Amino acid sequence: MTSTEELLEKAKKAVTSGDKEAASMFLAQAADAFSSKGAYSAAAKLYEQSAQVYRQIGKTQQYYDAIEQAILMLIRQGAKPEAYSEIVRLSAAAAKTAERAIEFKRAADFYFRAAEFSATEDSRTEFNTRAADALEELADKQEEEKNFSEAVTLLKKVGRLYYASGDNDLGARIDDRAQRIALRWAEASKNTGDFLSAGNALAEAAQVMQIRGILSEAARAMMEAAELYEAAGLFEKAGNTYDAAQEAFQQQRLTGARKQALLKSAEAYLKMEGAPEVLAPLLVKAGGMFAELGNVKAKWAYKRAGELFGTLAAKAAKDNETDAQKDYLRHQAMCLKLWGLKKESATIYQQVIDYYLTQSQTEAKKGNKEQQAVSLEELADVLSETGDVATSRKHLQSALDIYVSLAEEKTVSAEMEDASKYYSKAADCADKLGDSEKHFLFHKLASERATDAASLYESMSVPEVATVWVRNAGTEALNTNDPEMIEKAIVFFRQSAEGFKRINESDDAFEDFFQVFEVTFDKHPEARDQISALIGQMEEIAKSTRKKYMLSLVTVLRVIEKGDYTAAILTLQAKEEDLLPKRDRLRKLVELLKVRKKAT
């Protein structure tokens, strides 16, 4: 007999003799052996059997561990409906076991797992609702123990889940409770002198109030939170919170209250100390706020920011970081100009102008046309900042002409990758010049050359590179902003997504399916079946890779697909930390829901 068969025989004898702990151990060892051989289906069954024996003898942690191992074996079998169905069954059973043991956090986690692998929307909703119920039980416990911060966090999550399930009344009830607990938390923290916690509590309350549409109360709570942050010496946090309050007041057209919040935000930033690279941009922001209010402190903010940018420029020069030095000098010159020292500003601007002009001339002499064009673009940007628009446009046009010349040369020599790149750079220059016709033309040409490059690599049997260039063709087509080209972009991105999938580049495939989703949801909201299918394709990749950001993104897209703005914005807020690189793109999709709701 093989060692695996011996282990199973030992497990059988242990069960017969009543030694269930030994039986579960032998079953787990046999499962390990099957797993090491890639026999994941057999391993999953044995891990489940081991788990059941552990549960019978009260070894709950070992039970949960064995269930997790069984689920892992099922995941390793790939995107098989029968495997996913088993994951749902095991997860739901483990969740019920955890609920009976009053382990509500663990129960919620297992219900979330069941929802994640469910085949239907109804099933997903059911398990997410059960998870919400478990988390509410946990929130009750946290409130009883006066762990207000954790209780509020849990209730906000519960509310989001109820909104996502379509039960807005229950979601609103939970939000009301979260708000009341947050205010209790704030009072308790103020009474103990913990101003940071008090501020955080009021900020949480304000967020819930905003969700509920109580904007005036939310703005007032933000103001009080900011005052508490100031009392705690956290001036950047205070400034940011006052800034959020002024935006809320602006939405309500409360001009006087907005001006007060704006002033307090600027003054909080002025009180800051810290690293120059952090402080200088915030002082520029403060200067802008003071300037809007007609407050003389604007000059002081710009003066201090200019000094800090000067310090940063000097350090960059010492470290031989020329590009950084010139960037800091530009910011210093801007601050001096806003401060009112136009002569000193012009002197520094001229240093930067002379540098880029010399760079472009040097590169021209060397025959480095691309670097010459890059320097001309930088030169044009600086001249635009100084107000010399005419000269700026002249140099920008020169850069554009160089890029077009390079693109044409590369096209003739059949170097299609470079041709595409240069046409794309020419399109960017045309955009800066405000020439929409050339912007469209050059992005279109860049897309065509990218398609040529893809065809070349396909003929050379290099699918990895060919797929990258199909994606590039899609990007350039999309950048034309032309309806016909956008339809071509959708086709290109679908092709690249499938191409990346074939060569097992899951991250790239997922990204391109998301790109197709974005464009389709924006341009063809009526294509519900296509939108749902795209989410399904992304979900398949997310489940197979188990990458957190993918799973979070699919969760957000599922809610966006339903068309509920409140549920979508809440779900995005909950997953925002996992999705920072895509936050702005997702917010645009969520805002589309609001626009469409108003239009109906």
Side-chain angles (χ1 to χ4, degrees), residues 420-436:
S420 178
K421 178 182 75 172
Y422 291 131
Y423 275 130
S424 184
K425 286 177 175 288
D428 291 341
C429 290
D431 188 40
K432 291 178 184 177
L433 287 166
D435 190 332
S436 58

mmCIF file of all heavy atoms in Angstrom, residues 420-436:
data_model
loop_
_atom_site.group_PDB
_atom_site.id
_atom_site.type_symbol
_atom_site.label_atom_id
_atom_site.label_comp_id
_atom_site.label_asym_id
_atom_site.label_seq_id
_atom_site.Cartn_x
_atom_site.Cartn_y
_atom_site.Cartn_z
ATOM 1 N N SER A 420 4.398 55.203 -34.021
ATOM 2 C CA SER A 420 3.217 55.374 -33.175
ATOM 3 C C SER A 420 3.524 56.302 -32.001
ATOM 4 O O SER A 420 2.742 57.206 -31.679
ATOM 5 C CB SER A 420 2.740 54.015 -32.659
ATOM 6 O OG SER A 420 1.635 54.163 -31.806
ATOM 7 N N LYS A 421 4.669 56.084 -31.379
ATOM 8 C CA LYS A 421 5.054 56.901 -30.221
ATOM 9 C C LYS A 421 5.160 58.387 -30.602
ATOM 10 O O LYS A 421 4.655 59.262 -29.885
ATOM 11 C CB LYS A 421 6.399 56.407 -29.669
ATOM 12 C CG LYS A 421 6.915 57.228 -28.490
ATOM 13 C CD LYS A 421 8.263 56.725 -28.015
ATOM 14 C CE LYS A 421 9.386 57.128 -28.962
ATOM 15 N NZ LYS A 421 10.724 56.806 -28.432
ATOM 16 N N TYR A 422 5.789 58.667 -31.733
ATOM 17 C CA TYR A 422 5.994 60.069 -32.125
ATOM 18 C C TYR A 422 4.689 60.737 -32.554
ATOM 19 O O TYR A 422 4.470 61.917 -32.270
ATOM 20 C CB TYR A 422 7.042 60.155 -33.228
ATOM 21 C CG TYR A 422 8.436 59.811 -32.761
ATOM 22 C CD1 TYR A 422 9.231 58.899 -33.465
ATOM 23 C CD2 TYR A 422 8.953 60.362 -31.592
ATOM 24 C CE1 TYR A 422 10.501 58.569 -33.025
ATOM 25 C CE2 TYR A 422 10.237 60.034 -31.147
ATOM 26 C CZ TYR A 422 11.000 59.138 -31.865
ATOM 27 O OH TYR A 422 12.263 58.818 -31.427
ATOM 28 N N TYR A 423 3.823 59.998 -33.232
ATOM 29 C CA TYR A 423 2.530 60.583 -33.575
ATOM 30 C C TYR A 423 1.731 60.907 -32.305
ATOM 31 O O TYR A 423 1.023 61.914 -32.235
ATOM 32 C CB TYR A 423 1.728 59.634 -34.471
ATOM 33 C CG TYR A 423 2.042 59.753 -35.947
ATOM 34 C CD1 TYR A 423 2.334 58.620 -36.722
ATOM 35 C CD2 TYR A 423 2.028 61.000 -36.586
ATOM 36 C CE1 TYR A 423 2.623 58.733 -38.079
ATOM 37 C CE2 TYR A 423 2.317 61.116 -37.947
ATOM 38 C CZ TYR A 423 2.618 59.979 -38.682
ATOM 39 O OH TYR A 423 2.891 60.102 -40.022
ATOM 40 N N SER A 424 1.872 60.054 -31.293
ATOM 41 C CA SER A 424 1.176 60.295 -30.031
ATOM 42 C C SER A 424 1.701 61.567 -29.365
ATOM 43 O O SER A 424 0.931 62.381 -28.831
ATOM 44 C CB SER A 424 1.341 59.091 -29.097
ATOM 45 O OG SER A 424 0.604 59.270 -27.919
ATOM 46 N N LYS A 425 3.016 61.760 -29.388
ATOM 47 C CA LYS A 425 3.605 62.972 -28.813
ATOM 48 C C LYS A 425 3.162 64.216 -29.598
ATOM 49 O O LYS A 425 2.897 65.276 -29.015
ATOM 50 C CB LYS A 425 5.132 62.865 -28.816
ATOM 51 C CG LYS A 425 5.698 61.923 -27.756
ATOM 52 C CD LYS A 425 7.203 61.826 -27.876
ATOM 53 C CE LYS A 425 7.815 60.983 -26.761
ATOM 54 N NZ LYS A 425 7.775 61.666 -25.463
ATOM 55 N N ALA A 426 3.064 64.081 -30.910
ATOM 56 C CA ALA A 426 2.587 65.194 -31.737
ATOM 57 C C ALA A 426 1.146 65.546 -31.376
ATOM 58 O O ALA A 426 0.773 66.730 -31.316
ATOM 59 C CB ALA A 426 2.690 64.831 -33.213
ATOM 60 N N ALA A 427 0.335 64.525 -31.110
ATOM 61 C CA ALA A 427 -1.061 64.752 -30.727
ATOM 62 C C ALA A 427 -1.144 65.516 -29.404
ATOM 63 O O ALA A 427 -1.987 66.410 -29.236
ATOM 64 C CB ALA A 427 -1.795 63.416 -30.610
ATOM 65 N N ASP A 428 -0.255 65.189 -28.463
ATOM 66 C CA ASP A 428 -0.237 65.897 -27.181
ATOM 67 C C ASP A 428 0.097 67.372 -27.386
ATOM 68 O O ASP A 428 -0.497 68.250 -26.742
ATOM 69 C CB ASP A 428 0.775 65.257 -26.237
ATOM 70 C CG ASP A 428 0.351 63.866 -25.781
ATOM 71 O OD1 ASP A 428 -0.849 63.546 -25.898
ATOM 72 O OD2 ASP A 428 1.225 63.102 -25.329
ATOM 73 N N CYS A 429 1.044 67.656 -28.278
ATOM 74 C CA CYS A 429 1.396 69.043 -28.576
ATOM 75 C C CYS A 429 0.215 69.769 -29.217
ATOM 76 O O CYS A 429 -0.077 70.924 -28.893
ATOM 77 C CB CYS A 429 2.609 69.107 -29.506
ATOM 78 S SG CYS A 429 4.161 68.589 -28.736
ATOM 79 N N ALA A 430 -0.459 69.084 -30.132
ATOM 80 C CA ALA A 430 -1.622 69.684 -30.785
ATOM 81 C C ALA A 430 -2.708 70.006 -29.771
ATOM 82 O O ALA A 430 -3.389 71.040 -29.872
ATOM 83 C CB ALA A 430 -2.164 68.734 -31.858
ATOM 84 N N ASP A 431 -2.863 69.138 -28.794
ATOM 85 C CA ASP A 431 -3.852 69.373 -27.737
ATOM 86 C C ASP A 431 -3.510 70.648 -26.957
ATOM 87 O O ASP A 431 -4.387 71.473 -26.663
ATOM 88 C CB ASP A 431 -3.896 68.162 -26.806
ATOM 89 C CG ASP A 431 -5.026 68.248 -25.800
ATOM 90 O OD1 ASP A 431 -6.126 68.685 -26.170
ATOM 91 O OD2 ASP A 431 -4.806 67.891 -24.624
ATOM 92 N N LYS A 432 -2.228 70.814 -26.610
ATOM 93 C CA LYS A 432 -1.800 72.020 -25.890
ATOM 94 C C LYS A 432 -2.026 73.276 -26.730
ATOM 95 O O LYS A 432 -2.293 74.354 -26.195
ATOM 96 C CB LYS A 432 -0.327 71.905 -25.505
ATOM 97 C CG LYS A 432 -0.028 70.858 -24.449
ATOM 98 C CD LYS A 432 1.471 70.780 -24.176
ATOM 99 C CE LYS A 432 1.813 69.680 -23.192
ATOM 100 N NZ LYS A 432 3.284 69.561 -22.969
ATOM 101 N N LEU A 433 -1.911 73.132 -28.033
ATOM 102 C CA LEU A 433 -2.116 74.270 -28.939
ATOM 103 C C LEU A 433 -3.601 74.525 -29.207
ATOM 104 O O LEU A 433 -3.951 75.526 -29.852
ATOM 105 C CB LEU A 433 -1.399 74.007 -30.275
ATOM 106 C CG LEU A 433 0.130 74.100 -30.244
ATOM 107 C CD1 LEU A 433 0.724 73.488 -31.504
ATOM 108 C CD2 LEU A 433 0.586 75.553 -30.087
ATOM 109 N N GLY A 434 -4.436 73.616 -28.736
ATOM 110 C CA GLY A 434 -5.867 73.776 -28.947
ATOM 111 C C GLY A 434 -6.319 73.424 -30.338
ATOM 112 O O GLY A 434 -7.404 73.828 -30.785
ATOM 113 N N ASP A 435 -5.517 72.651 -31.050
ATOM 114 C CA ASP A 435 -5.840 72.258 -32.421
ATOM 115 C C ASP A 435 -6.509 70.876 -32.382
ATOM 116 O O ASP A 435 -5.837 69.830 -32.456
ATOM 117 C CB ASP A 435 -4.558 72.216 -33.266
ATOM 118 C CG ASP A 435 -4.842 72.060 -34.754
ATOM 119 O OD1 ASP A 435 -5.888 71.481 -35.092
ATOM 120 O OD2 ASP A 435 -4.014 72.504 -35.564
ATOM 121 N N SER A 436 -7.828 70.866 -32.273
ATOM 122 C CA SER A 436 -8.560 69.606 -32.125
ATOM 123 C C SER A 436 -8.463 68.731 -33.373
ATOM 124 O O SER A 436 -8.460 67.499 -33.274
ATOM 125 C CB SER A 436 -10.031 69.886 -31.798
ATOM 126 O OG SER A 436 -10.624 70.686 -32.800
#
